[in-house]
Amino acid sequence: VLLKYGKLLSALACSVEEERYSERVYTIKEGETLELQCLVTGHPRPQIRWTKTAGGASDRDSSLHNETLRIENINRHQGGRYYCKAENGLGSPAIRSIRVDVYYLDDPTITVHQSVGEAKEQFYFERTVFLRCVANSNPPVHYTWRRGREVLSQGSDTGVEIYEPFFTQGETKILKLKNLRPQDYADYTCISSVRNVCGIEDKSAHFTLSNRTAPPSIRLLLDDPLVVNHGETITLVCVASGGDPRPSLKWMRAEGQELPKRSVVKGGTLTIPAVTIDDGGVYSCLGSNNVGNPAKKSTTILVRGLRKGRFWITPDPYHNDDNIQIGREVKISCQVEATPPEELQFSWLKNGRPLRSSERMVITHTDTDVSPGTTNLDIIDLKFTDFGTYTCVASLRNGGTPEISIDVNISSTTVPPELTVPRGRSHLIAQEGDTVDLQCLVSGKPKPIILWSRVEESGVAAAAAAVAALMPDGSVQTESYDGILRISNVTREMSGTYRCQTSQYNGFNVKPREALIQLVVQFPPTVEPVYTEIRQALGRAFSLTCRLLRAHPARLLRYEWKLGTRLLTVGQFSDQKDDTNYHVRALNREGYGEYTCDITNEAGAGRCTFLVTGKAYPPEFYYDTYSALWQNRPRVYGFKLQWTQMEPNAVDRILAYRLGIRQMGQSRWWEQEIPMEGTIQKGELLTHNLTELVKPESYLVRLTPITRYGEGDSTERIITYSGEFQCGFEDEALCLFSQDKNDVFDWTRHSAATRDTKYTPNTGPSSDHTGSKQGFYMYIETSRPRLEGDMARLLSPTFNMNSKSSSSSVSNNPTYCFAFYYHMYGKHIGALNIFLRQKGQSVTDTLVWSLTGNQGDRWRQGKVNIHPTTAFQMVIEGVRGSGIEGDIAIDDVTIEEGECKDPPPNSESLAPPSSPHIWQLCVTLILALIGQQR
């Protein structure tokens, strides 16, 4: 794996620092686009996953499966370490990481504080002012203070002190004006800077200090509390009564609540139209001018109203009897929530006539500061003449809201409640998805409200049940006025015991009556695998297993195996078994098809499905082909198609591949069969040469394996003609470059990140040519035992030419541009030579480029035109100079059709000049490949 961020990100990245705290750090400005590319090699094609960690916790939202990670408009919270992980099932996964540092600078804020010290016995008085400048930033911000146009620094003025509080980090500075003087009344500017990193410009804040500078003070032009009626429009006015600069005003609600959505704020005025009870509460006005502490004033809005009227009847508490009896006491209680509570007032009626408190009819009220408010009517020594309808009337003293009236009938028929479950309804069985009615019958007068809840399980499961014991609507308790609890679309999680009980309000204040109902929700078996494909060769034995995960009821379970519509076997589960197997001893052609296993109970069936097929798995194209076919014909090209077969031993031997090829933009396919001899091994690289491809067209290629069963799964890819070979030496295969066996020593593949600490100083590169210390390059090590004049030769792959090419007409020979980057730094640099090696009837080496001596500590590019007439290689030769400070490196080699454009200076090209416009484009180098698997 190689993380790429150089050329791709040069316009966006601020910088990439290597080995900062032994890690790679990529910096970017907030708001720009982050783009990281993970370059991978390996076969089969690796799967890529991007992840991000911050503080050791994985950020799953950042998980991506593309080679390129792109985050537009990046913000400061998206910084952190990003990991690219590639795996293909062979060996250990390859992982590379980089830390992304997001740079930003917020506008600074100046806050002012004042302290006054006094010591009378010394006749000493001091007034000190602190100006503090704060700005959020990354990297740490640097502050500069100005008074007018004068830059203030520590020691420049005896009356000024600039310091950093010990509890802050970075370069936070406070400007302290000691024993305030007349010249200290001035305009102050705080300039915050991150030193133009990432192009972030400096920002500033201003403050004018005068003898009028003072912290804010505010006042509210309204009553506290503010009592209003429902539906009215209210206006809260907050004004600044002092402070310089003039304070800004802001309204907010207590405990972080939002202001009502329909409210309108204009300066210090808050208007709430059509106020509701939910709008009541504490509202605060905050005044701030960055001098001293903010000023805060609060008021309480009380929306007048009555709600939640309830009553209850309490039989004589001195007798153990829940019934009302003549000659005993009975108490009627009435309760209402009121706002404001002190305005709540009650009155009682009997049969519509006002009732006053007496010795036998005692009326009491709770204190007005207790909410909700309650009134009690105690009837002492109940008589027949006391039977009737008693009405409790609740109202607010100043009106403005409707009254609440509660009627309570006291008679010989007033009896406490009784609760029962209808016959046969205490144990209910339902199928998942049904609608179920749980019913409790309640008698008594008055008839109370029924409260439904779930009963927590006891024993080991109590802790889990305590969490799960909620009603189907998610509440702890549900009210019912008719005693019925309806559950729609019932699920298995709703199984359990439900409790119905009488409430102690709107009825008798006695011990609640309750009953239990058991609900059992049946559901069909859940099985695995629901669907799976099994590939098998003829004559082999195998087994199919269907596993039972859960079911209710879990007894009397049956299973049934079928192949298509043909019944294979049936049976019944034992109590100890949770799976069933079907064995195929020797697969024949009739044994291919869809096997099903149905496991059934009273609620239905769960099905496992197995598709048994002899189809071969798809092939997988090999994308790291470095040397395509070269043909010396102007209008056509060829390509070396390479692939491996996925799981070749899973099915019968692959006899052939059907190759289909179609030119992009056309509909016609050409097909041919590629026969296979012998058995294909796992990982074996297969090759077929495609010829007569028309330049510069792209082609869709389809490859289908064939066995005696028939055609298997196909794979497709697109071949795109680009006419360029390139190699950055990032892969250990070196793009098929090889060492010359006849030289004195070898070139070495290297990266600065893994460089030996004993390396020779003052020579060799400190990174690859893109600036990455993780990237690789090739170099010659000129330390001992190397001697002056020793040569190391690196050979490119062989690029094939058509042997029928005419050598008599040079105009038929193509021109290619051979380009590379070189690093020749050190006082003992020898020579770097480039040869064109042609492989005709004899092998000839022609020197086409050469350079000697120290070229400085930087990478440079070399280019040269070459004109091969037959199959050829490029030979890169490094020659050791007179001492150890003579390391030579190369990187990013390319061969491209056509003449070189803008050849760089400082290189000595020894190639013969070419005639423009006559060399035909007739070579295919590496093709850019886009593939997909069907």
Side-chain angles (χ1 to χ4, degrees):
V1 175
L2 173 68
L3 274 176
K4 181 178 179 182
Y5 49 83
K7 295 179 182 178
L8 181 67
L9 304 172
S10 59
L12 302 176
C14 306
S15 66
V16 178
E17 300 181 32
E18 304 286 351
E19 298 179 341
R20 173 177 164 189
Y21 312 111
S22 301
E23 66 179 352
R24 302 164 68 205
V25 181
Y26 174 79
T27 56
I28 187 171
K29 182 179 177 181
E30 187 174 46
E32 293 187 341
T33 298
L34 171 71
E35 199 166 289
L36 300 174
Q37 188 175 9
C38 197
L39 305 180
V40 298
T41 58
H43 189 81
R45 191 100 175 138
Q47 298 293 316
I48 297 173
R49 184 186 180 201
W50 283 96
T51 55
K52 172 180 176 278
T53 58
S58 176
D59 184 352
R60 298 185 182 275
D61 292 340
S62 297
S63 178
L64 295 172
H65 298 273
N66 302 323
E67 289 189 0
T68 300
L69 172 69
R70 180 181 175 89
I71 302 176
E72 296 184 358
N73 193 26
I74 192 169
N75 64 55
R76 63 196 65 181
H77 305 297
Q78 291 173 304
R81 177 162 292 281
Y82 287 83
Y83 291 85
C84 172
K85 180 180 180 181
E87 53 187 337
N88 63 357
L90 301 177
S92 300
I95 301 175
R96 285 291 177 93
S97 69
I98 187 169
R99 186 164 69 82
V100 175
D101 210 357
V102 181
Y103 280 179
Y104 58 91
L105 174 62
D106 291 343
D107 291 328
T109 302
I110 297 177
T111 56
V112 181
H113 297 273
Q114 174 182 304
S115 67
V116 176
E118 188 173 359
K120 292 183 179 179
E121 57 273 6
Q122 298 179 8
F123 302 98
Y124 174 77
F125 181 86
E126 182 187 73
R127 184 181 180 196
T128 301
V129 173
F130 300 87
L131 277 71
R132 180 172 184 172
C133 189
V134 178
N136 294 321
S137 74
N138 183 37
V141 67
H142 172 75
Y143 297 99
T144 302
W145 281 100
R146 292 177 183 264
R147 180 169 55 197
R149 297 184 177 180
E150 175 193 5
V151 176
L152 297 175
S153 59
Q154 184 67 27
S156 64
D157 187 331
T158 57
V160 175
E161 183 178 345
I162 301 175
Y163 66 95
E164 174 184 344
F166 71 91
F167 52 83
T168 63
Q169 296 180 352
E171 298 182 13
T172 302
K173 292 292 190 293
I174 288 180
L175 181 66
K176 179 181 179 182
L177 306 176
K178 301 180 291 184
N179 196 14
L180 205 62
R181 306 161 300 176
Q183 63 263 39
D184 293 330
Y185 294 122
D187 293 331
Y188 290 86
T189 302
C190 170
I191 302 171
S192 59
S193 173
V194 289
R195 300 174 178 84
N196 205 38
V197 65
C198 289
I200 299 176
E201 296 181 352
D202 295 351
K203 297 185 178 181
S204 61
H206 306 277
F207 188 85
T208 300
L209 183 66
S210 69
N211 57 4
R212 297 182 304 276
T213 301
S217 59
I218 60 174
R219 58 192 179 94
L220 302 181
L221 304 182
L222 48 89
D223 297 331
D224 184 32
L226 181 62
V227 181
V228 297
N229 291 323
H230 185 279
E232 290 182 353
T233 295
I234 60 173
T235 300
L236 309 181
V237 180
C238 176
V239 296
S241 55
D244 188 291
R246 186 171 181 81
S248 62
L249 304 174
K250 178 183 178 182
W251 279 100
M252 61 184 66
R253 291 185 74 174
E255 298 178 355
Q257 297 183 77
E258 293 183 356
L259 293 175
K261 291 184 178 180
R262 61 191 179 283
S263 61
V264 178
V265 180
K266 187 175 182 180
T269 302
L270 170 64
T271 302
I272 307 175
V275 70
T276 66
I277 291 179
D278 293 333
D279 297 331
V282 177
Y283 288 74
S284 299
C285 176
L286 195 68
S288 174
N289 66 352
N290 291 335
V291 179
N293 296 318
K296 183 178 180 181
K297 295 286 186 180
S298 300
T299 186
T300 302
I301 296 178
L302 300 177
V303 182
R304 303 173 76 251
L306 301 170
R307 58 179 180 173
K308 292 189 179 178
R310 294 177 173 177
F311 76 92
W312 57 90
I313 302 169
T314 306
D316 190 342
Y318 303 106
H319 296 81
N320 188 20
D321 193 342
D322 291 344
N323 292 284
I324 295 175
Q325 296 186 27
I326 298 295
R328 292 185 181 177
E329 179 182 338
V330 62
K331 180 166 68 173
I332 306 172
S333 301
C334 179
Q335 187 180 80
V336 174
E337 291 185 6
T339 304
E342 62 270 15
E343 288 191 24
L344 176 63
Q345 58 185 12
F346 290 103
S347 61
W348 285 90
L349 304 176
K350 178 184 179 184
N351 298 327
R353 295 181 179 181
L355 185 66
R356 298 185 181 279
S357 183
S358 63
E359 290 184 359
R360 286 192 55 256
M361 299 283 185
V362 181
I363 299 174
T364 58
H365 308 295
T366 56
D367 293 338
T368 55
D369 59 348
V370 177
S371 182
T374 305
T375 181
N376 300 303
L377 171 61
D378 277 290
I379 304 174
I380 310 298
D381 189 15
L382 183 67
K383 302 180 182 300
F384 282 108
T385 55
D386 296 329
F387 287 167
T389 300
Y390 292 83
T391 304
C392 163
V393 180
S395 62
L396 293 179
R397 186 174 300 113
N398 296 322
T401 188
E403 300 177 338
I404 290 182
S405 297
I406 303 173
D407 293 333
V408 182
N409 185 264
I410 301 295
S411 69
S412 58
T413 60
T414 303
V415 293
E418 294 297 333
L419 200 62
T420 59
V421 177
R423 185 180 180 86
R425 301 287 295 175
S426 60
H427 186 88
L428 299 178
I429 297 177
Q431 303 290 324
E432 203 166 31
D434 289 350
T435 295
V436 183
D437 285 342
L438 281 63
Q439 184 178 17
C440 284
L441 300 177
V442 60
S443 61
K445 186 179 179 181
K447 187 179 292 186
I449 295 173
I450 300 300
L451 302 179
W452 287 94
S453 61
R454 293 183 69 172
V455 179
E456 297 178 3
E457 303 293 335
S458 60
V460 178
V467 177
L470 296 175
M471 298 297 288
D473 63 358
S475 63
V476 176
Q477 198 173 65
T478 301
E479 291 185 352
S480 170
Y481 291 88
D482 58 2
I484 295 177
L485 173 65
R486 173 163 292 181
I487 305 175
S488 300
N489 193 25
V490 68
T491 64
R492 62 193 68 179
E493 291 78 14
M494 297 176 188
S495 292
T497 303
Y498 289 78
R499 176 192 291 117
C500 65
Q501 66 180 33
T502 59
S503 67
Q504 291 181 296
Y505 51 88
N506 293 9
F508 272 72
N509 182 24
V510 295
K511 182 179 179 181
R513 276 56 168 165
E514 67 175 46
L516 301 178
I517 297 178
Q518 184 74 29
L519 175 62
V520 177
V521 180
Q522 295 183 342
F523 54 90
T526 302
V527 298
E528 68 174 12
V530 175
Y531 178 88
T532 189
E533 185 181 69
I534 296 176
R535 306 203 181 201
Q536 284 291 345
L538 289 169
R540 291 185 184 172
F542 63 93
S543 295
L544 306 176
T545 301
C546 184
R547 287 177 292 278
L548 172 68
L549 300 179
R550 52 192 168 274
H552 193 86
R555 53 185 176 78
L556 301 178
L557 292 169
R558 295 183 58 80
Y559 62 83
E560 182 180 86
W561 285 91
K562 287 184 177 180
L563 172 56
T565 58
R566 179 162 60 94
L567 182 64
L568 299 175
T569 183
V570 296
Q572 186 167 323
F573 272 82
S574 63
D575 293 338
Q576 295 81 21
K577 199 170 184 183
D578 59 1
D579 61 30
T580 173
N581 301 287
Y582 183 75
H583 304 283
V584 177
R585 293 178 179 174
L587 183 63
N588 55 31
R589 287 193 173 273
E590 291 71 27
Y592 287 119
E594 187 174 86
Y595 292 75
T596 58
C597 173
D598 290 332
I599 300 178
T600 59
N601 65 1
E602 297 175 23
R607 169 170 288 188
C608 296
T609 301
F610 306 87
L611 179 61
V612 178
T613 175
K615 290 176 63 175
Y617 284 98
E620 184 169 4
F621 285 114
Y622 183 60
Y623 285 84
D624 299 330
T625 304
Y626 293 106
S627 179
L629 295 179
W630 289 40
Q631 297 182 3
N632 188 18
R633 294 170 61 188
R635 298 183 180 178
V636 299
Y637 69 97
F639 180 72
K640 183 185 293 184
L641 193 68
Q642 294 183 298
W643 71 94
T644 55
Q645 177 60 43
M646 294 177 60
E647 304 297 336
N649 300 319
V651 295
D652 288 318
R653 186 178 74 83
I654 295 174
L655 305 175
Y657 286 91
R658 177 166 289 113
L659 173 68
I661 186 167
R662 174 173 65 83
Q663 185 174 319
M664 300 299 290
Q666 298 186 6
S667 58
R668 183 179 176 186
W669 285 86
W670 286 269
E671 291 189 343
Q672 70 176 97
E673 284 198 1
I674 307 172
M676 291 287 114
E677 300 293 336
T679 301
I680 298 173
Q681 302 300 318
K682 185 174 183 178
E684 180 181 350
L685 193 62
L686 307 174
T687 300
H688 179 76
N689 293 333
L690 300 177
T691 59
E692 304 298 324
L693 305 178
V694 179
K695 296 179 181 179
E697 301 296 335
S698 298
Y699 291 86
L700 178 64
V701 176
R702 177 190 298 160
L703 204 58
T704 309
I706 301 173
T707 65
R708 58 176 174 166
Y709 174 84
E711 292 190 355
D713 290 337
S714 301
T715 296
E716 291 183 352
R717 72 175 294 172
I718 294 175
I719 296 177
T720 302
Y721 178 78
S722 69
E724 182 183 27
F725 170 87
Q726 52 186 343
C727 182
F729 305 109
E730 301 300 338
D731 185 24
E732 292 183 6
L734 302 182
C735 320
L736 301 184
F737 272 83
S738 60
Q739 308 282 352
D740 190 340
K741 297 181 180 179
N742 297 318
D743 58 8
V744 179
F745 67 108
D746 287 343
W747 287 80
T748 302
R749 176 176 174 265
H750 207 54
S751 77
T754 58
R755 184 166 57 181
D756 194 333
T757 56
K758 299 180 181 179
Y759 72 95
T760 306
N762 303 318
T763 188
S766 58
S767 67
D768 74 357
H769 122 259
T770 66
S772 169
K773 291 192 177 181
Q774 305 294 325
F776 285 87
Y777 53 86
M778 302 295 291
Y779 88 111
I780 59 169
E781 173 58 64
T782 56
S783 300
R784 294 181 179 86
R786 301 278 71 82
L787 302 175
E788 184 175 2
D790 284 357
M791 294 182 299
R793 286 189 161 195
L794 190 66
L795 308 180
S796 76
T798 299
F799 302 108
N800 299 317
M801 306 289 290
N802 194 323
S803 60
K804 296 181 181 180
S805 171
S806 172
S807 60
S808 60
S809 176
V810 70
S811 63
N812 290 332
N813 296 330
T815 297
Y816 310 114
C817 177
F818 179 73
F820 56 97
Y821 285 86
Y822 62 89
H823 190 282
M824 302 172 67
Y825 168 57
K827 63 183 180 182
H828 302 137
I829 290 292
L832 176 63
N833 303 316
I834 307 296
F835 294 89
L836 172 65
R837 174 173 291 181
Q838 300 195 73
K839 296 183 176 181
Q841 294 180 352
S842 61
V843 177
T844 60
D845 286 355
T846 304
L847 181 66
V848 295
W849 188 95
S850 181
L851 191 63
T852 59
N854 185 0
Q855 304 298 318
D857 187 12
R858 63 171 178 167
W859 286 93
R860 301 172 182 267
Q861 189 179 33
K863 291 184 179 181
V864 62
N865 293 320
I866 58 174
H867 314 285
T869 59
T870 183
F872 68 93
Q873 288 177 290
M874 299 306 297
V875 181
I876 304 173
E877 179 185 77
V879 182
R880 201 256 196 189
S882 58
I884 63 173
E885 295 181 19
D887 294 354
I888 298 175
I890 59 167
D891 198 5
D892 290 335
V893 177
T894 62
I895 305 178
E896 193 172 4
E897 293 177 330
E899 294 188 0
C900 296
K901 299 176 182 179
D902 303 324
N906 300 330
S907 64
E908 184 178 351
S909 174
L910 303 178
S914 61
S915 300
H917 310 305
I918 64 172
W919 306 111
Q920 301 297 318
L921 205 63
C922 55
V923 59
T924 298
L925 300 153
I926 275 297
L927 304 176
L929 307 173
I930 305 169
Q932 67 180 27
Q933 192 173 68
R934 189 181 69 175

